[in-house]
């Protein structure tokens, strides 16, 4: 590895002494390791505390806590990850993970244990608790409960019962330590399996599960006086989930028993402890039960408890086994030992998809129900005929339900379709909205109206009388996505949401936000983006929000579709005034709002400015910078600010690309260029580059070392994706040559997946590129057409007939199109050196697609090298492989575009060596 790094960095300046010289330091691979990103960013409900984990690309994270009263860093926690702020914001908890060295050198991963670090937000004082499995902080910050990650064998109680009751294999119990963080009083409970502290911060419920199961109990523990009460005390009893009421001292839990040794069919039931009484909440259907993995979710106001249930599962089919001499010759017993899947043409799904969906649709399939606390009524919301509901825990009267069961076969070649319903939350009644539909409709909060996009228009359906009205027909605006170049139904631009009273729906056109009155059907334009080529969209920070009030002022993202500048604006729904509040030649993103305070967090970024976090109130008048995670950016010759380059697509359409010139570029210089692309890329004009090493080029690594990076937009012609993208790419790259920026003999091309395919195809049509690096490309559409996407289990046919590959017809309808768009058939036309990369466990593209192309190029005597990364999926996941490929990619381009000596592996390959594991 050191040798490879030296090969890459041999031309880099390594001994710079003055501050001004440091500012011109080229980026090296090891520099990328140090760049940090903010992980797990949390904003306290009162808006006073910000916490995050500053995580380097390679190295140990640092937990950080900031006071937003003065923007000061309160504390840093070594190896602090996954920050949590309690409701009162007096503590921030971090999971302290082992060091990177320990992770890389410890053979037995179970020996790696986490610690818990608490930071006092008033003093910055830190408390560490070792070997913590999991924890809960009380809302008021007075109590901490955590399970200590140690064996519970010593804590096992003896029992006079001779029959042991065995817990499920993965159900581990640990000692539960309870600490009063004010006076340091401590108490330990034995063998805790599940536990939680009440919202009122004075009680704790714990399911205690012992090794033999005979002393199991559900215990209510009083935090004030450390006394406990056994609510349920019987052998094998267990609570798999616990959920306290968000306001009072009621608690719900799923109650089961280990006595039934078939954990899939074990009967759980929903139990409530309220008003000092245990109550069982029964499913509407007496034949339905809860399963172990069923979830519990309270509405925020505590009036509803959502839970999951399911019909009784069929008895497990027991495999016949060899038991005696005669069984060895019994055909039924012998055949029961077979390994077989029967693929039948009447199956709704092919076997890999059926297998992939087994856990979701069979083993762990549950349906949503709701318990109305005040009326004590239980309503079934999702059912076997309509298994999915979009759960909203706020007070919407209806939920959107959907089912794809009637379209499971269609997804194999036509894409994803579903039948949609409005589900009355009080009765469970399912009212059809639209069937066999590829997009999600928008349902009014009252459940009386639904909107969807069909026949290039916005449609409104009155669910009371099933009358459908076309809302957008008379409006002079573009509601159909004009960038859609797939052989499938054209989508709309989407919906912003509804007014709370369901009287109006807010709809997106290409540029603007429109309001349509459901009674008068009148349209009202709320923004004026078309006039200045700006696209407005509502920023939704609270995902549980049901709708808008008519007097609200909304936050909007504003994107200029010409300059690609991203701004933030406010829309007053009363006056319809639109005011830009964050603007400039940057990208702005509002990322969080404090739940109970006028506090917002946002980031601003450019190619040269890392997206640090800023704070502001809703006026946005005086934003203040809080973090400074990567000050070292200023030490490097990063590359110049990006420019937009205009050119024509294959059909004459005006397109744009982002050009980033190398550091120190002078007008008139002709420089080597690496073109990186996929589909639309110009929206990255103001993005800070991802500082990581993986399947794509690290942009500053190239622009800091003499390359220009070009990110062009690509358009496709249905049926001819290869030729149309090639012509677009030729036009885009020729523009750089015409501008005198690109050296025509030093242009390289890099793409992965769909862009890997395009790059592999382009070199069969043009010799414009002097080197290509193609990751995970399809090379033969005739073979890939009937392949399988292993991750999803889906047949790949939909991808060609209606999806990304854009053929638009089946293989037997248009075999000539599949051949025309397959580079493997034209390998003899290739004159460009190509480096092909694949993981041999690719779960999206069959990795033998790369093998096919390599073998065809090899047979044709072309310059082709194939990198097979063992055990890797579609994108490289293992850090050594990410680094290795990044280095080889740079070496490849350095040789072919800069004339540097070829690395040894490029000249000689690498012989297979059986390494000892």
């Amino acid at each position: 590895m050191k040798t490879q790094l030296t090969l890459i960095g041999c031309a880099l300046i390594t001994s710079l002494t003055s501050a001004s010289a440091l500012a011109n330091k080229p980026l090296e691979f090891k520099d990328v390791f140090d760049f940090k990103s903010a992980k797990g960013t949390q904003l306290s409900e009162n808006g006073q505390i910000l916490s995050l984990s500053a995580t380097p690309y390679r190295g140990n994270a640092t937990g950080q806590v900031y006071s937003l009263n003065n923007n000061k860093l309160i504390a840093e926690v070594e190896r602090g990850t996954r920050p949590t702020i309690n409701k009162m914001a007096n503590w921030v908890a971090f999971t302290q993970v082992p060091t990177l060295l320990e992770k890389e050198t410890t053979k037995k991963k179970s020996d790696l244990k986490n610690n818990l670090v608490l930071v006092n937000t008033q003093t910055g004082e830190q408390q560490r608790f070792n070997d913590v499995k999991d924890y809960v902080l009380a809302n008021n910050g007075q109590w901490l409960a955590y399970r200590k990650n140690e064996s519970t064998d010593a804590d096992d109680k003896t029992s006079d019962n001779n029959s042991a009751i065995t817990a499920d294999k993965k159900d581990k119990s640990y000692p539960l330590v309870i600490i009063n963080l004010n006076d340091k009083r401590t108490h330990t409970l034995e063998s805790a399996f599940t536990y939680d502290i009440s919202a009122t911060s004075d009680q704790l419920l714990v399911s205690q599960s012992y090794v033999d199961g005979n002393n199991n109990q559900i215990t209510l523990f009083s935090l004030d006086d450390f006394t406990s009460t056994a609510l349920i005390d019987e052998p094998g009893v267990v609570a798999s989930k616990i959920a306290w009421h968000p306001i009072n001292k009621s608690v719900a839990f799923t109650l089961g028993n280990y006595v039934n040794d078939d954990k899939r069919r074990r009967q759980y039931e929903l139990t409530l402890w309220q008003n000092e009484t245990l109550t069982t909440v029964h499913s509407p259907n007496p034949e339905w039960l809860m399963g172990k993995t069923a979830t519990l979710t309270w509405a925020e106001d505590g009036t509803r408890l959502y839970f999951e249930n399911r019909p009784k599962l069929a008895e497990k089919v027991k495999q016949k086994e060899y038991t005696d001499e005669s069984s060895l010759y019994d055909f039924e017993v012998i055949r029961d030992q077979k390994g077989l899947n029967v693929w039948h043409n009447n199956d709704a799904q092919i076997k890999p998809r059926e297998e992939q969906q087994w856990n979701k649709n069979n083993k762990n399939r549950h349906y949503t129900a709701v318990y109305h606390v005040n009326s004590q009524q239980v309503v079934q919301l999702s059912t076997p005929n309509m298994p999915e509901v979009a759960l909203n825990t706020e007070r919407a009267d209806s939920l959107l339900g959907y089912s794809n069961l009637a379209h499971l076969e269609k997804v194999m070649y036509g894409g994803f379709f579903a039948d949609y319903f409005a589900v009355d939350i009080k009765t469970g009644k399912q009212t059809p909205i639209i069937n066999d539909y590829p997009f999600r409709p928008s349902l009014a909060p009252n459940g009386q109206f639904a909107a969807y996009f069909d026949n290039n228009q916005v449609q409104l359906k009155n669910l009371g009388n099933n009358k459908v009205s076309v809302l957008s027909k008379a409006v002079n605006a573009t509601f159909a996505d004009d960038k859609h170049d797939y052989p499938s139904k054209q989508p709309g631009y989407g919906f912003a949401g509804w007014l709370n009273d369901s009287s109006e729906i807010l709809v997106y056109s290409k540029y603007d936000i429109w309001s349509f009155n459901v009674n008068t059907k009148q349209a009202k334009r709320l923004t004026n983006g078309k006039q200045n080529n700006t696209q407005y969209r509502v920023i939704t920070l609270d995902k549980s929000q049901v709708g808008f009030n008519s007097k609200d002022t909304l936050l909007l993202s504003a994107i200029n579709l010409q300059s690609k500048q991203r701004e933030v604006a406010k829309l007053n729904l009363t006056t319809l005034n639109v005011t830009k509040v964050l603007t400039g030649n940057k990208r702005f993103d509002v990322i969080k709002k404090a739940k109970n305070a006028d506090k917002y967090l946002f980031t601003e970024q450019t190619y040269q400015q890392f997206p640090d976090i800023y704070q502001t109130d809703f006026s946005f008048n005086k934003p203040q910078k809080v973090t400074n995670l990567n000050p070292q950016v200023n030490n490097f010759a990063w590359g110049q600010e990006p420019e937009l380059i205009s050119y024509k697509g294959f059909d004459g359409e005006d397109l744009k690309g982002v050009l980033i010139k190398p550091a120190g570029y002078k007008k008139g210089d002709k420089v080597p260029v690496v073109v990186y692309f996929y589909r639309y890329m110009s929206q990255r004009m103001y993005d800070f580059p991802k500082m990581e090493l993986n399947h794509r080029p690290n942009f500053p690594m190239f622009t800091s070392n003499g390359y220009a990076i070009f990110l062009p937009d690509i358009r496709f012609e249905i049926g001819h994706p290869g030729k149309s993208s090639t012509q677009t790419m030729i036009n885009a790259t020729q523009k750089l040559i015409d501008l005198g920026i690109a050296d025509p003999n030093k242009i390289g091309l890099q793409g992965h997946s769909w862009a890997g395919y395009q790059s592999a195809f382009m070199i069969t049509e043009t010799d414009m590129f002097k080197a290509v690096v193609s990751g995970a490309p399809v090379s033969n559409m005739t073979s890939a057409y009937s392949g399988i996407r292993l991750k999803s289990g889906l047949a790949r046919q939909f991808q060609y007939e209606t999806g990304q590959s854009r053929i638009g017809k089946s293989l037997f309808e248009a075999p000539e199109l599949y051949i025309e768009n397959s580079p493997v058939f034209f390998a003899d036309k290739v004159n460009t050196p190509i480096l092909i990369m694949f993981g041999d466990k690719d779960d999206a593209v069959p990795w033998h697609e790369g093998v096919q192309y390599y073998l065809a190029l090899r047979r044709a005597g072309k310059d082709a090298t194939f990198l097979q990364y063992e055990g890797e999926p579609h994108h490289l996941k293992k850090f050594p492989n990410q680094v290795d490929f990044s280095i080889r990619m740079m070496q490849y381009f350095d040789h072919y575009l800069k004339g540097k000596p070829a690395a040894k592996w490029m000249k000689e390959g690498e012989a297979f060596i059986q390494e000892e594991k």
Side-chain angles (χ1 to χ4, degrees), residues 480-486 490 493 564 679-680 715:
D481 184 355
D482 62 357
K483 285 187 175 181
H484 185 74
D485 56 358
Y486 295 85
Q490 191 173 21
Y493 280 101
K564 309 301 177 180
R679 188 186 177 212
Y680 288 100
R715 281 281 283 188

Side-chain angles (χ1 to χ4, degrees), residues 586-639:
K586 297 182 178 184
R587 169 177 174 166
F588 298 90
D589 294 281
V590 183
I591 57 173
K592 287 189 180 295
K593 180 199 178 299
K595 184 174 182 179
N596 301 319
D598 182 17
K599 184 74 69 178
Y600 292 80
L601 301 180
F602 71 91
T603 61
E604 61 176 58
Q605 61 182 297
T606 67
Y607 180 72
Q608 296 179 329
Q609 178 184 342
F610 177 80
D612 276 300
I613 297 174
Y614 292 71
Q615 66 150 313
T616 184
D617 58 23
F618 194 64
S619 73
F620 285 81
N621 285 335
K622 297 180 180 179
Q624 302 169 44
K625 186 176 180 181
V626 182
T627 66
N628 187 24
L629 295 184
N630 291 297
Q632 74 272 28
V633 169
N634 298 323
N635 295 336
F636 299 104
W638 202 252

Side-chain angles (χ1 to χ4, degrees), residues 371-569:
Y371 174 67
H372 295 275
V373 176
N374 295 333
S375 65
Q376 299 183 357
Q377 297 297 308
V378 181
V379 177
Q380 192 67 42
L381 299 176
S382 65
T383 57
N385 72 297
M386 191 213 68
E388 306 289 348
V389 290
L391 186 61
N392 188 303
T393 57
E394 296 303 304
R395 297 188 60 82
D397 296 322
S398 289
L399 302 175
L400 184 68
Y402 50 101
S403 171
N404 68 349
L405 297 177
H407 315 291
L408 294 178
E409 182 179 0
K410 187 176 181 178
V411 72
M412 297 295 162
Y413 56 86
F416 295 90
F417 291 81
D419 303 328
Y420 289 89
F421 305 82
V423 183
D424 190 304
I425 203 165
K426 294 180 180 178
T427 67
K429 179 182 178 183
Q430 300 172 5
T431 302
I433 298 172
I434 188 171
N435 293 332
D436 197 14
Y437 185 63
F439 315 118
R440 174 175 282 200
S442 182
L443 179 65
N446 65 7
Q448 296 178 15
F449 298 92
Y452 53 89
F453 190 80
D454 198 27
N455 296 322
N456 291 329
Q457 300 294 339
V458 180
Q459 315 279 341
L460 178 73
K461 185 173 185 178
N462 184 321
L463 301 182
N465 57 22
N466 286 328
K467 183 179 179 181
V468 178
S469 304
V470 181
L471 294 181
S472 56
K473 190 172 184 179
V475 177
N476 183 21
T478 302
F479 289 93
D481 184 355
D482 62 357
K483 285 187 175 181
H484 185 74
D485 56 358
Y486 295 85
S488 59
K489 204 166 191 175
Q490 191 173 21
Y493 280 101
F495 303 96
W498 295 77
L499 294 190
N500 282 326
D501 63 5
S502 301
S503 63
E504 297 180 23
I505 181 170
L506 276 56
V507 181
Y508 295 136
S509 68
K510 179 176 181 178
Y511 297 100
D512 290 303
I513 305 170
W514 294 76
S515 174
F516 290 93
N517 187 291
V518 300
N519 297 311
T520 67
K521 313 300 187 296
Q522 293 298 305
K524 179 170 56 177
R525 188 171 65 179
L526 306 183
T527 59
N528 196 22
K530 186 175 182 180
Q531 184 175 351
N532 54 21
N533 209 19
T534 297
Q535 185 180 77
Y536 289 103
R537 298 293 184 257
V538 175
I539 297 172
T540 302
L541 297 174
D542 183 0
K543 301 303 181 183
S544 66
Q545 180 178 338
V546 174
F548 311 113
N549 292 315
S550 59
K551 296 182 180 180
D552 280 348
T553 297
L554 306 182
L555 278 180
L556 308 179
S557 67
I559 305 174
N560 187 293
L561 298 185
Q562 284 295 323
S563 69
K564 309 301 177 180
Q565 184 177 345
R566 298 191 178 203
E567 302 166 311
V568 175

